[in-house]
């Protein structure tokens, strides 16, 4: 049986800023901006979150929610340097580390370097080292698989530590709200609730075939995970092949102008993720899911690498215009991805991620 820890730093970018600049402490802090820009929030401090501000929110909306919030530009070099130090702490206990971003990672400590044996004790020591050596806090979830460990790490934030053992998993999954399940966004959650599916216990009443019919391949995942089954291994140093951002809309989009406005938000968030990792790519792909659930993609490769918002947005909009000219039908999902990265920057990025 595996011993999995999911570590998630608390309000990472904002916490680094408040650590490095004491005058930022205790006030609503937003990393992103400026407030009158079209940018999005990278991270908000817990003081700012009390006003409803959250990651990926437009900065203009954040400013309306909290007019006295302080907006500061991100310092990605600083965050990556801290992330590298956190990974050094992880490596004291295991080399089985799967980074998800600069601020979170899975650790498989089934066999740990120091022969401690207890995943909870290892998580405590990691949290203590992050606090004493880096003056930051992290939340940790401990379980026997990745899905449950990730959910557990979010249960007592900030500075939390939650263990969900094998005997508790199935009961825990039965009580879990459907919106907490992997792949369940706002639209799918609303669909489930219309079908009187509110919790894992409700999903559990359906057969695997019924779930697949209703929710596609995700239905198979729901069937197994609600029974506590998640066999995905921790994958150390996984190769980053693409970065993508997509959005499923509460109501189908009918006007191309509205679709282009949504693409602008998606591109801004996508470029933020790329720039945080210092990545540039050559291939831009537009993803469209129509109201009838048909899915198409359109890719365009450049002769050079880019991380320019306007360039990526222009390509996505041109692809959208071309598609909608031949298929003027409502759209329920739009997404943009970038791939074919600069190999030098990608190698550097793989080493520095967490």
């Amino acid at each position: 049986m595996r011993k999995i820890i999911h570590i998630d730093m608390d309000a990472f970018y904002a916490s680094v800023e408040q650590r490095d600049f004491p005058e930022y402490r205790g006030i609503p802090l937003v990393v992103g901006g400026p407030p009158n820009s079209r940018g999005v929030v990278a991270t908000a401090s817990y003081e700012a979150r009390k006003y409803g501000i959250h990651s990926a929110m437009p900065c203009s909306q954040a400013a309306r929610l909290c007019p006295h919030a302080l907006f500061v530009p991100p310092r990605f070099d600083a965050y990556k340097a801290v992330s590298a130090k956190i990974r050094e702490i992880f490596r004291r206990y295991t080399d089985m580390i799967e980074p998800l971003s600069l601020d979170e990672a899975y650790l498989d400590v089934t066999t740990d370097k120091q022969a401690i044996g207890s995943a909870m004790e290892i998580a405590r020591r990691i949290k203590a080292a992050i606090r004493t050596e880096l003056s930051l806090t992290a939340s940790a979830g401990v379980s026997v698989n990745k899905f449950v460990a990730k959910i557990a790490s979010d249960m007592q934030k900030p500075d939390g530590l939650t263990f969900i053992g094998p005997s508790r998993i199935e009961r825990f999954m039965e009580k879990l709200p459907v919106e907490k399940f992997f792949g369940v966004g706002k639209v799918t959650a609303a669909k489930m609730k219309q079908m009187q599916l509110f919790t894992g216990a409700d999903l559990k009443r359906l057969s695997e075939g019924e779930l697949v019919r209703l929710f596609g391949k995700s239905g198979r995942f729901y069937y197994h995970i609600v029974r506590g089954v998640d066999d995905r291994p921790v994958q150390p140093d996984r190769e980053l092949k693409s970065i993508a951002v997509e959005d499923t809309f509460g109501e189908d989009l009918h006007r191309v102008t509205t679709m282009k406005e949504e693409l602008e938000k998606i591109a801004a968030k996508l470029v933020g993720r790329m720039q945080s990792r210092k990545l540039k790519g050559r291939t831009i792909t537009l993803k469209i899911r129509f109201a009838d659930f048909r899915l198409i993609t359109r890719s365009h490769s450049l002769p050079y690498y880019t991380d320019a918002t306007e360039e990526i947005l222009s390509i996505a909009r041109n692809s959208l215009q071309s598609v909608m000219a031949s298929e003027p039908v409502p759209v329920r999902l739009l997404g943009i991805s970038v791939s074919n990265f600069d190999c030098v920057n990608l190698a550097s990025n793989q080493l520095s991620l967490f």
Side-chain angles (χ1 to χ4, degrees), residues 35 63 189 207 273 315-316 339:
S207 69
R273 291 183 180 179
I315 292 170
S339 57

Side-chain angles (χ1 to χ4, degrees), residues 13-32:
Y13 298 171
S15 294
V16 173
E17 296 297 334
Q18 290 180 318
R19 180 198 69 175
D20 294 349
F21 302 95
E23 62 270 28
Y24 295 166
R25 297 174 189 170
I27 65 173
L29 180 71
V30 176
V31 179

